[in-house]
Amino acid sequence: MSLILRRVSSSIPQVFGFASRSFTSLRLPGESFGSSSSPCLTHGIHVFQCLDSVGIVAKLSDCISSKGGNILGADVFVPENQNFFYSRSEFVFDRVRWPRAQMDEDFLKLSKMFNAKTSIVRVPDLDPKFKIAILVSKQEHCLTDLLHRWQDGRFPIEITCVISNHERGPNTHVIRFLDRNCIPYHYLRTTNENKREKEILDLVKDTDFLVLARYMQIFSSNFLRGYGKDIINIHHGLLPSFRGGHPSKQAFDAGVKLIGATSHFVTEELDAGPIIEQMVERVSHRDNLQSFVQKLENLEKQCLAKAIKSYCELRVLPFEENKTVVF
C-alpha cells in the first residue's frame, strides 16, 4: 500500500483506491472551489499519510513557506494508540515563484523523507477536472440533483456520460437536459444473467471515478478489479432493516421515527465499503407516505452530493481496514 507522489500526464489517474485497497499516487485533477483574496495567488491542497514521527508538521510547513506559500488551514489527525499521521493543508502561493512542476518535486522529496503512503498535491486552478460517469436506474432524484449542481459549477467534474438499465424517452426531463449539455446517455438493459459489465467498463475506462446515483445493480468482483478505481454509492438507511420491494413503504407502515442515508465506497462486500458521509432526519406520525419518501430522497441527494464534494476536495483518506478520515 505504498504511495509515492509522482507527476502524471495521463487524464485518468487512480484517485484513492478504496475499491482495490491499494494506493497509487498522482497529481489529482479538479478545478477551484474557492479563490484566494489576492488575484496573484493560487490555491493549493496537499494531503499526507505516513507513520507518525517528530517534525512532520514542521517539515510540511517549511516545504510551503520556503517557496513563499502561506498556509490558510491545516487539519492533522493522529489516532490514539496508533503510530499513524494524517494531514490536509490548504495554502496559497505565487505560481511564478513556485511553478507547478517544482511543487510536485518538493512534495515528492517530503514523501520520500517520511516514506509516505499517501502524498497528493492538487492545484484546482491549474489541474484538469475529474472525469466521472454516473450510473442510475429508474429513480432520478439523485441524478437530477447532481446534474443541476454540476450545471451550477458546484463540482469540479466533467460528466463523460450517464449509463442506465432503465430506458428513457427522448422528451423526458433528463434526456432533454443531457442533450442540451452534450452528455451521452447509454441505455443498457440488464438481466440476472447479463449485467452488461464489459460494455460498462468500455464506456467508463477514461473516467477518474464512478458515481452510483441509485443504480440498483450489484457489480461483480471482476468488474471492480477491472475498473480498479473508486466508485461512490448512495443508499437509504432505514432501521430496522427492510428488505425486498418498496422498503420506504415498509418503513412507513412500521412507523419508524428516524430515517437516514449513507454514501460509501463500493467494495466486493455489498453496502459495506468505507463510509464517506451519513445523514439522518426525524419523521413522525404527522408524515404521510409522500412526505416520508420526499424526506428520504432529499437525504439521499444531500448525502451523495456532500460525499462527492468532500472527495473532490481531497478531504477523504483511508483509515484502518474499512474506515475513512474525512477532514
Side-chain angles (χ1 to χ4, degrees):
M1 296 177 65
S2 174
L3 187 149
I4 303 174
L5 182 65
R6 59 183 174 86
R7 189 168 183 83
V8 177
S9 59
S10 170
S11 62
I12 51 169
Q14 173 86 11
V15 185
F16 292 117
F18 281 93
S20 62
R21 312 308 301 169
S22 64
F23 302 99
T24 304
S25 62
L26 63 150
R27 172 184 162 191
L28 281 177
E31 68 172 358
S32 178
F33 57 85
S35 59
S36 61
S37 59
S38 169
C40 299
L41 298 180
T42 303
H43 196 146
I45 308 168
H46 179 252
V47 294
F48 205 60
Q49 177 188 359
C50 64
L51 292 177
D52 191 28
S53 64
V54 175
I56 301 176
V57 173
K59 290 294 185 181
L60 283 169
S61 300
D62 182 65
C63 180
I64 296 170
S65 62
S66 64
K67 296 303 172 66
N70 184 38
I71 295 177
L72 301 179
D75 288 298
V76 172
F77 173 59
V78 178
E80 185 177 3
N81 300 323
Q82 295 188 39
N83 188 36
F84 292 106
F85 174 92
Y86 302 83
S87 74
R88 178 184 183 274
S89 305
E90 292 191 37
F91 56 94
V92 289
F93 67 99
D94 184 335
R95 67 178 73 177
V96 174
R97 183 175 176 183
W98 200 10
R100 183 69 179 85
Q102 183 60 52
M103 179 182 294
D104 282 344
E105 291 299 320
D106 292 339
F107 282 118
L108 175 59
K109 293 176 184 177
L110 197 67
S111 174
K112 291 180 177 179
M113 182 184 301
F114 293 102
N115 193 26
K117 289 185 177 180
T118 306
S119 182
I120 302 170
V121 62
R122 175 187 171 201
V123 180
D125 285 340
L126 301 180
D127 296 344
K129 296 178 181 181
F130 290 93
K131 290 184 177 181
I132 76 165
I134 302 175
L135 287 86
V136 62
S137 290
K138 185 175 182 179
Q139 291 181 296
E140 297 179 343
H141 56 285
C142 287
L143 171 64
T144 55
D145 181 71
L146 294 180
L147 291 175
H148 287 295
R149 289 176 189 265
W150 165 80
Q151 187 179 52
D152 292 342
R154 301 188 201 180
F155 295 133
I157 61 175
E158 174 188 339
I159 301 174
T160 63
C161 66
V162 173
I163 302 169
S164 180
N165 62 334
H166 178 76
E167 190 172 14
R168 288 170 170 82
N171 293 321
T172 58
H173 170 72
V174 166
I175 297 301
R176 291 199 303 269
F177 182 99
L178 297 177
D179 286 344
R180 286 196 305 271
N181 291 279
C182 300
I183 299 174
Y185 179 83
H186 302 283
Y187 164 56
L188 298 178
R189 181 177 176 271
T190 59
T191 64
N192 290 334
E193 294 74 29
N194 185 3
K195 300 292 185 178
R196 312 293 290 272
E197 291 187 346
K198 184 180 184 303
E199 292 153 280
I200 295 173
L201 283 175
D202 289 338
L203 291 171
V204 304
K205 61 184 179 181
D206 291 333
T207 58
D208 298 311
F209 67 95
L210 302 182
V211 174
L212 308 187
R214 298 295 290 165
Y215 186 63
M216 309 306 290
Q217 298 293 316
I218 300 173
F219 285 125
S220 69
S221 58
N222 287 336
F223 178 91
L224 298 180
R225 286 193 293 267
Y227 182 62
K229 288 169 277 189
D230 289 325
I231 305 174
I232 297 177
N233 188 31
I234 182 70
H235 64 79
H236 63 70
L238 296 171
L239 297 174
S241 177
F242 297 94
R243 300 181 180 275
H246 308 291
S248 297
K249 187 177 187 307
Q250 292 183 57
F252 173 77
D253 291 341
V256 303
K257 304 303 182 189
L258 194 67
I259 59 176
T262 295
S263 185
H264 64 93
F265 291 103
V266 175
T267 58
E268 294 185 18
E269 187 175 355
L270 179 63
D271 290 341
I275 294 170
I276 308 170
E277 183 63 53
Q278 290 182 299
M279 294 182 178
V280 296
E281 183 174 343
R282 296 199 67 82
V283 291
S284 75
H285 58 278
R286 298 185 184 277
D287 283 291
N288 57 30
L289 180 58
Q290 181 180 2
S291 66
F292 183 98
V293 171
Q294 186 175 30
K295 286 182 177 179
L296 184 59
E297 289 182 350
N298 285 339
L299 279 179
E300 291 173 346
K301 292 188 293 187
Q302 295 173 48
C303 189
L304 180 58
K306 180 69 180 298
I308 294 171
K309 187 173 186 292
S310 294
Y311 186 86
C312 291
E313 294 178 358
L314 310 192
R315 298 183 181 277
V316 186
L317 284 169
F319 174 49
E320 294 184 341
E321 180 63 26
N322 201 42
K323 296 181 181 179
T324 57
V325 171
V326 183
F327 285 118

